[in-house]
Amino acid sequence: ERLKRELEELRLEDALEAVSDIDVELIQRALRSLGFYYDAIDNKMGPQTRAAIRRFQYSQVAKDREMSPEDKEAVRTGVLSARQTVDLFAAAADNNHPMSQYVYGIMHVRGIGVEQDGADATYGLNAAADADLAISPYALRVIYRDGTTGLNEVTPDKALAARHFARAFALGYKPAGDALKLLEFEAPRNVE
């Protein structure tokens, strides 16, 4: 049992390392959806973005949760820790922000900051697709074309993949049209 718990902690640490690649623009949009960021979305980590990050971080401290030394240092500097980045996208997704629902869904597909979970991935991506975020049905088609690994695996389903391809194309996502034409001739891909 102890070994299993230690392996889970190591896996989560590896997953959290991948969070550092998230664009500042996505962070700004998530912060704005939660009411912490008021300036232009410019994909720059400027003073306004750092101030918004601090406001978010202080809201987390206000929830009186246990903070690691890394989280405490991040609050002091206005830089999101990996765990805080995951928390930000989770909160914005729960607040029905479509782009954050998409990002959080992708995080679950790939195991970025969270454990891979097909059910959580499809839930977030479907919510974003319901808000007509064109890239979300395209991501869903990849899930249904290739399947997922991890918890609550999704098995390939060509009919669902085609439906999501068509929806993404109808919403204006041009690569979905070409992918829809190729779908019949493709074999499912390995998601790793």
Side-chain angles (χ1 to χ4, degrees):
E1 192 66 31
R2 182 181 59 86
L3 181 60
K4 184 179 177 183
R5 191 173 55 247
E6 287 174 3
L7 287 172
E8 284 297 318
E9 288 175 14
L10 286 173
R11 190 175 316 144
L12 182 58
E13 283 178 34
D14 289 343
L16 285 172
E17 286 180 27
V19 172
S20 63
D21 291 337
I22 293 178
D23 286 342
V24 173
E25 175 189 353
L26 295 173
I27 290 170
Q28 289 173 330
R29 290 182 186 281
L31 288 165
R32 177 178 279 171
S33 77
L34 294 171
F36 296 113
Y37 184 71
Y38 317 109
D39 295 304
I41 305 295
D42 59 5
N43 201 26
K44 294 180 181 166
M45 188 56 78
Q48 295 87 359
T49 303
R50 292 213 186 276
I53 288 170
R54 282 190 192 97
R55 286 189 287 275
F56 169 74
Q57 290 167 324
Y58 287 129
S59 78
Q60 298 299 297
V61 172
K63 290 181 181 176
D64 194 31
R65 64 184 188 97
E66 212 173 289
M67 293 184 74
S68 70
E70 179 190 34
D71 287 341
K72 290 176 185 175
E73 178 64 14
V75 170
R76 191 183 68 71
T77 61
V79 175
L80 288 171
S81 70
R83 173 55 44 207
Q84 289 169 341
T85 303
V86 172
D87 291 347
L88 171 65
F89 283 104
D94 286 345
N95 201 39
N96 297 320
H97 181 246
M99 183 57 78
S100 295
Q101 291 168 326
Y102 167 77
V103 170
Y104 200 53
I106 295 298
M107 291 168 87
H108 279 285
V109 170
R110 296 188 178 158
I112 300 172
V114 294
E115 192 164 1
Q116 283 182 305
D117 188 322
D120 286 343
T122 55
Y123 178 80
L125 292 170
N126 273 313
D130 289 345
D132 292 336
L133 183 65
I135 195 166
S136 195
Y138 188 79
L140 279 165
R141 75 87 185 147
V142 173
I143 290 174
Y144 289 118
R145 182 192 66 194
D146 302 337
T148 65
T149 59
L151 293 174
N152 303 310
E153 292 182 7
V154 175
T155 56
D157 184 330
K158 200 179 266 192
L160 277 174
R163 188 178 105 213
H164 288 294
F165 268 138
R167 181 149 186 229
F169 184 66
L171 289 171
Y173 194 68
K174 301 294 183 218
D178 295 332
L180 185 58
K181 292 174 192 171
L182 295 173
L183 180 64
E184 187 167 330
F185 303 105
E186 288 182 340
R189 297 180 185 166
N190 185 348
V191 294
E192 294 177 26

